[in-house]
Amino acid sequence: MYRVLVLLVFVGQLCNGFYLPGSYMHTYSNGDSILAKVNSLTSIETELPFSFYSLPYCKPLEGIKKSAENLGELLMGDQIDNSAYRFRMNTNESLYLCTTSPLNEHEVKLLKQRTRELYQVNMILDNLPALRFAKQNGVTIQWTGYPVGYSPPNSNDDYIINHLKFKVLVHQYEGNVMEVIGTGEEGMGVISEADKKKALGYEIVGFEVVPCSVKYDAEKMTKLHMYDPVPSVNCPLELDKAQIIKELERITFTYEVEFVRSETRWPSRWDAYLKMEGARVHWFSILNSLMVIVFLAGIVFVIFLRTVRRDLTKYEELDKEAQAQMNEELSGWKLVVGDVFREPELSKLLCIMVGDGVRITGMAVVTIVFAALGFMSPASRGMLLTGMIILYLFLGIAAGYAGVRLWRTVKGTSEGWRSLSWSIACFFPGIAFVILTVLNFLLWSSNSTGAIPISLYFELLALWFCISVPLTLFGGFLGTRAEAIQFPVRTNQIPREIPERKYPSWLLVLGAGTLPFGTLFIELFFIFSSIWLGRFYYVFGFLLIVLLLLVVVCAEVSVVLTYMHLCVEDWRWWWKAFFASGSVALYVFAYSINYLVFDLQSLSGPVSAMLYIGYSLLMAIAIMLSTGTIGFLTSFYFVHYLFSSVKID
């Protein structure tokens, strides 16, 4: 009993000390140096990131050093460098940084261009982005980062932001959440009172910035050295006191910092960033969408289930002579019993797409589940994308297994499984490689940090051919060893003629995608806003519910459509079952174009538009493979169950 109590106490202490995975708390003592970092310059108008030091900003004394970045950060175009901004814990000060040399024509042109394209400087302190508050129409809006400059209305002049007023929110850390330090040879140890005092410190829980443009006397300021104290200034409202951008101007950069005590604790410091505007509307819309979709899908499923059950019951209650007579008199799915499992056209392509669809679906489900459980912290930049890539690589086993087993089922033999496995390993990655290469040339031509470096290209190719391809081949090998799915009925040698229809079947297939799209379109708005408007997306719990509902709806829609085709004696259901649910991708791509036209009106330039369309196309293809696979596999097992339930001579 005593051991159980000790274990409970230990678990309780661990729970008290639980933080977001991937985030590590740093404590600082009074006077400790804290160095700020800078990320790439970003703009919602161009979506082209550029290096912070592509503009004439002050460089740190020790030189520019790039921070170690993970795969996701590199692919997202993040370039995190050290900066000249230096703080000292709990020391309020106003400091001089540097004065530039006279601006030349190229620097002036670049500064004006970045200012008018609404580029933001993204600063990071203790892994927290700088937060800025602005008032628009009486409403306070929060932004991450601060603008490079600003252009007053009805003016051709531009002004640079050269003075920053920082507010650092700190919380006093008392060390009480880490009293249990673990077990050793002496058993469980506890921090002593003396050690507790040493553990006292301050943790950074907020980082805010107020940007200003201040005109200084360049001749006077050049006599100062970096980090020399300067008088504190108030942000001027008059344009004649702001620093204009023009040739031969020398720009002086200064900053001041104020440390403010806060009751916010370290685990809650990201709450300010993750607050979503219109949260009630978001929650209500999602809930309303879920209820409508569940209601419609439930009605369709109940009606369909009763219809099939009635057909089966009526068919099985008849004797053999009556069944033969009914086959001659009636039409419907019972008449295609000898053709329903006939090999479809382009069967290899179908197996390839189903294999890749299994991989993408597995990657999406596992990633969203982990994100919903809190394992994809926003503090760990690029972790979400890195995790998705790793999952995609290792799920090659599932892709190869599913594709090859379907191939064996359709063909009745394992011959050609190696070629199929290679095709599965290269199909979607090949499409992504072509799209990203085209987009990368556009980014290279613009000198953007969003361009993938050549070294990273080789790393991605190495991951592709050294991990993904071998694992897919291994999965295919396992598929050859798995038992093939046996069809419950024999296939006739001569295909049955399909009756003519009043309307083309593809029209019904395209229309079927509207129901799955109904589960997505509201969430798509928030996802697109997160990607293209620089907002944080962290409602993965809702996204998980939407994903699960999407799986159910795709399965039901595809099964219903398959049954409808079989009822009109159309036995070519394979591809129609795939695209019945996969057609949702067409609506997603159309929605992305609608979002570009009506919600991203500020997006400027053909390069930015092509980037948007390229990434949207890649996302739509992935959605098509995933939803199509869900619908096809469900329909396959439904047809198999349906015809195995019928008594056939």
Side-chain angles (χ1 to χ4, degrees):
M1 185 65 182
Y2 174 74
R3 291 183 178 179
V4 174
L5 289 174
V6 171
L7 181 61
L8 290 175
V9 171
F10 182 66
V11 172
Q13 293 294 338
L14 289 180
C15 292
N16 287 337
F18 176 79
Y19 299 125
L20 283 172
S23 306
Y24 302 96
M25 182 175 65
H26 299 277
T27 56
Y28 302 90
S29 301
N30 287 328
D32 282 357
S33 180
I34 313 168
L35 300 178
K37 297 180 179 180
V38 287
N39 203 341
S40 301
L41 305 174
T42 56
S43 169
I44 61 173
E45 283 212 347
T46 66
E47 302 297 344
L48 298 173
F50 291 98
S51 169
F52 174 80
Y53 292 108
S54 63
L55 297 181
Y57 286 123
C58 302
K59 296 178 174 60
L61 295 174
E62 64 274 16
I64 302 171
K65 298 177 182 177
K66 296 184 184 297
S67 298
E69 297 171 336
N70 58 43
L71 182 60
E73 287 178 306
L74 292 171
L75 291 174
M76 290 168 62
D78 288 347
Q79 181 176 314
I80 301 176
D81 303 314
N82 60 334
S83 75
Y85 292 93
R86 181 211 66 187
F87 307 143
R88 290 183 294 177
M89 177 55 70
N90 285 333
T91 304
N92 298 340
E93 50 192 350
S94 181
L95 302 175
Y96 165 82
L97 273 185
C98 72
T99 301
T100 66
S101 55
L103 297 178
N104 56 41
E105 182 182 358
H106 173 71
E107 290 172 331
V108 169
K109 182 180 178 181
L110 202 58
L111 280 171
K112 282 180 169 288
Q113 182 180 355
R114 298 288 181 262
T115 298
R116 296 187 178 185
E117 290 175 342
L118 304 182
Y119 269 87
Q120 302 281 317
V121 178
N122 300 292
M123 293 193 69
I124 304 168
L125 184 70
D126 194 43
N127 214 22
L128 278 180
L131 203 59
R132 174 172 60 94
F133 296 94
K135 281 196 173 183
Q136 291 184 0
N137 300 324
V139 179
T140 301
I141 301 175
Q142 67 179 37
W143 303 85
T144 53
Y146 62 90
V148 169
Y150 62 92
S151 305
N154 304 321
S155 173
N156 292 325
D157 294 328
D158 302 288
Y159 298 85
I160 190 171
I161 299 298
N162 62 333
H163 179 76
L164 302 174
K165 300 168 75 73
F166 294 107
K167 181 192 290 186
V168 181
L169 306 178
V170 295
H171 179 81
Q172 188 168 7
Y173 170 68
E174 299 176 354
N176 57 349
V177 298
M178 294 295 291
E179 288 180 346
V180 180
I181 61 175
T183 58
E185 296 180 357
E186 309 256 337
M188 187 174 295
V190 180
I191 298 178
S192 65
E193 290 298 323
D195 290 332
K196 271 191 184 181
K197 292 181 180 179
K198 293 180 183 177
L200 292 177
Y202 297 92
E203 53 202 23
I204 296 175
V205 295
F207 183 40
E208 301 173 6
V209 61
V210 176
C212 309
S213 181
V214 181
K215 184 173 180 60
Y216 290 101
D217 184 350
E219 294 298 328
K220 179 180 177 182
M221 300 302 285
T222 50
K223 298 177 182 178
L224 299 175
H225 299 90
M226 187 176 284
Y227 305 126
D228 281 350
V230 293
S232 177
V233 297
N234 294 320
C235 293
L237 299 177
E238 301 83 0
L239 291 179
D240 58 344
K241 295 182 179 179
Q243 178 60 61
I244 194 172
I245 301 174
K246 66 179 183 180
E247 283 189 57
L248 302 180
E249 279 287 316
R250 303 185 70 181
I251 300 173
T252 296
F253 290 92
T254 57
Y255 71 98
E256 54 189 279
V257 57
E258 177 188 10
F259 286 85
V260 178
R261 296 287 182 92
S262 172
E263 295 301 319
T264 304
R265 298 185 63 86
W266 191 88
S268 305
R269 66 181 192 158
W270 275 90
D271 290 356
Y273 299 87
L274 303 181
K275 288 178 182 176
M276 299 193 65
E277 297 297 329
R280 290 185 178 180
V281 175
H282 176 84
W283 285 45
F284 176 77
S285 299
I286 293 294
L287 185 60
N288 183 62
S289 176
L290 295 179
M291 291 175 63
V292 170
I293 296 301
V294 169
F295 179 71
L296 291 176
I299 291 178
V300 171
F301 188 71
V302 168
I303 294 173
F304 165 73
L305 189 62
R306 292 183 60 186
T307 304
V308 174
R309 191 175 292 247
R310 188 180 64 244
D311 280 358
L312 281 175
T313 303
K314 183 188 298 184
Y315 194 77
E316 291 179 353
E317 286 177 352
L318 300 175
D319 56 23
K320 294 180 180 179
E321 294 181 3
Q323 286 181 16
Q325 184 179 0
M326 189 178 73
N327 284 344
E328 294 177 0
E329 296 177 355
L330 300 178
S331 62
W333 59 269
K334 298 169 286 295
L335 297 181
V336 297
V337 65
D339 298 275
V340 69
F341 292 109
R342 188 177 300 280
E343 180 183 343
E345 297 178 354
L346 302 174
S347 56
K348 185 175 182 179
L349 179 60
L350 179 63
C351 294
I352 291 169
M353 295 174 74
V354 168
D356 259 322
V358 168
R359 188 198 309 224
I360 294 171
T361 304
M363 175 196 70
V365 171
V366 175
T367 301
I368 294 174
V369 167
F370 272 85
L373 293 175
F375 286 91
M376 298 293 180
S377 166
S380 303
R381 292 173 182 81
M383 185 60 70
L384 189 67
L385 186 56
T386 303
M388 292 174 65
I389 293 173
I390 293 173
L391 282 170
Y392 185 85
L393 292 174
F394 284 95
L395 283 172
I397 297 177
Y401 177 84
V404 170
R405 192 172 184 201
L406 180 61
W407 174 258
R408 284 189 66 202
T409 301
V410 172
K411 290 287 188 180
T413 177
S414 300
E415 187 177 351
W417 71 270
R418 292 182 182 85
S419 171
L420 180 67
S421 298
W422 267 97
S423 300
I424 293 171
C426 298
F427 181 71
F428 181 72
I431 294 174
F433 183 81
V434 171
I435 293 176
L436 293 178
T437 300
V438 172
L439 298 181
N440 216 44
F441 276 115
L442 296 175
L443 291 169
W444 271 334
S445 64
S446 303
N447 296 319
S448 170
T449 59
I452 301 175
I454 292 293
S455 59
L456 184 58
Y457 252 105
F458 285 109
E459 290 176 15
L460 291 173
L461 288 173
L463 290 174
W464 184 0
F465 287 105
C466 297
I467 297 179
S468 180
V469 172
L471 288 179
T472 307
L473 287 169
F474 178 67
F477 174 76
L478 295 178
T480 62
R481 293 294 181 266
E483 183 180 355
I485 301 172
Q486 300 297 325
F487 294 140
V489 294
R490 293 189 299 270
T491 301
N492 297 334
Q493 291 185 353
I494 301 176
R496 181 185 180 86
E497 185 178 353
I498 301 173
E500 292 186 5
R501 305 182 64 174
K502 296 181 180 179
Y503 52 88
S505 59
W506 60 264
L507 202 60
L508 194 60
V509 170
L510 288 180
T514 55
L515 194 58
F517 180 70
T519 66
L520 279 178
F521 78 97
I522 293 178
E523 205 64 28
L524 277 176
F525 173 79
F526 293 96
I527 294 174
F528 275 49
S529 298
S530 170
I531 296 173
W532 301 107
L533 296 180
R535 299 174 184 170
F536 286 101
Y537 183 88
Y538 210 65
V539 284
F540 289 105
F542 274 114
L543 188 59
L544 178 60
I545 296 173
V546 170
L547 177 65
L548 295 177
L549 189 58
L550 178 66
V551 170
V552 174
V553 173
C554 284
E556 291 178 347
V557 164
S558 186
V559 166
V560 170
L561 200 73
T562 300
Y563 181 71
M564 291 174 64
H565 280 100
L566 293 179
C567 283
V568 295
E569 303 176 38
D570 187 353
W571 46 266
R572 294 176 302 186
W573 59 271
W574 302 73
W575 280 108
K576 291 167 185 173
F578 186 93
F579 285 113
S581 53
S583 61
V584 67
L586 185 64
Y587 296 97
V588 170
F589 187 71
Y591 177 82
S592 66
I593 300 300
N594 174 80
Y595 188 86
L596 171 65
V597 174
F598 294 103
D599 294 283
L600 286 181
Q601 296 176 351
S602 61
L603 198 66
S604 60
V607 174
S608 303
M610 289 185 68
L611 281 174
Y612 177 88
I613 293 173
Y615 289 130
S616 298
L617 179 62
L618 185 61
M619 181 182 68
I621 293 172
I623 290 174
M624 179 198 69
L625 292 173
S626 176
T627 55
T629 298
I630 293 168
F632 170 78
L633 292 179
T634 309
S635 294
F636 179 84
Y637 284 106
F638 161 73
V639 173
H640 189 279
Y641 170 77
L642 181 63
F643 284 91
S644 64
S645 303
V646 179
K647 296 177 182 178
I648 304 293
D649 285 337

